[in-house]
Amino acid sequence: MAASKKTYPASWEGAMAAAKAAGAKFPELAAAQCALESGWFEHTSGKNNYLGIKGKGTVKTTTEFINGARVHVDAEFMDFADLGACVQYLVTRWYKDWEGYEGVDRAPTREAAAKQLVKQGYATDPGYAEKLIKLM
């Protein structure tokens, strides 16, 4: 992934700034996702992947909810040049309309956007939206 033009610190403030720069309607939702997915910016799933975005890159063991059961699986996570590139990827593919999908920026509130992420399959954790709402 290409590096973003500005460098953002691996923090809530950095994620908020990166999400704003990417055009997210609810930048605090992106910051909450980064905080939740990375243990408050301490653990990435791939290089600079603060969002648990899967794809070609680094293989790690992760927790998924499959048929209601919590299981550990090995999965491949994308690598990013920096936090800004990671957040840009999220915003362009999940927050904005992309390849026939309606982005969660269409939601009227940040809480509704968090719930849309779950409905659209971003996370397997059935409590994901509630966790994001609490963090926001």
Side-chain angles (χ1 to χ4, degrees):
M1 289 276 136
S4 58
K5 293 177 183 164
K6 180 174 173 27
T7 301
Y8 300 96
S11 65
W12 182 277
E13 294 79 15
M16 285 274 294
K20 284 180 188 175
K25 180 178 177 182
F26 306 109
E28 64 276 20
L29 178 57
Q33 284 185 266
C34 286
L36 180 61
E37 295 280 354
S38 70
W40 284 96
F41 305 91
E42 294 293 321
H43 311 283
T44 60
S45 51
K47 182 180 177 191
N48 296 307
N49 186 338
Y50 295 89
L51 290 159
I53 297 172
K54 292 182 180 160
K56 188 166 178 58
T58 301
V59 176
K60 286 200 173 177
T61 301
T62 187
T63 302
E64 298 287 350
F65 290 83
I66 300 173
N67 297 323
R70 184 180 179 149
V71 297
H72 296 286
V73 297
D74 288 335
E76 194 168 10
F77 294 91
M78 293 180 71
D79 294 324
F80 293 95
D82 53 34
L83 173 64
C86 181
V87 172
Q88 176 74 30
Y89 186 93
L90 169 78
V91 171
T92 59
R93 286 161 178 82
W94 289 91
Y95 287 37
K96 307 291 182 185
D97 293 347
W98 185 70
E99 291 192 356
Y101 291 95
E102 289 187 0
V104 299
D105 271 357
R106 290 177 174 252
T109 65
R110 64 189 193 180
E111 293 82 6
K115 291 175 183 173
Q116 278 299 316
L117 283 170
V118 174
K119 285 181 186 174
Q120 293 182 26
Y122 185 87
T124 60
D125 180 352
Y128 191 74
E130 290 75 21
K131 290 174 184 176
L132 294 176
I133 291 166
K134 185 176 180 180
L135 286 170
M136 289 188 285

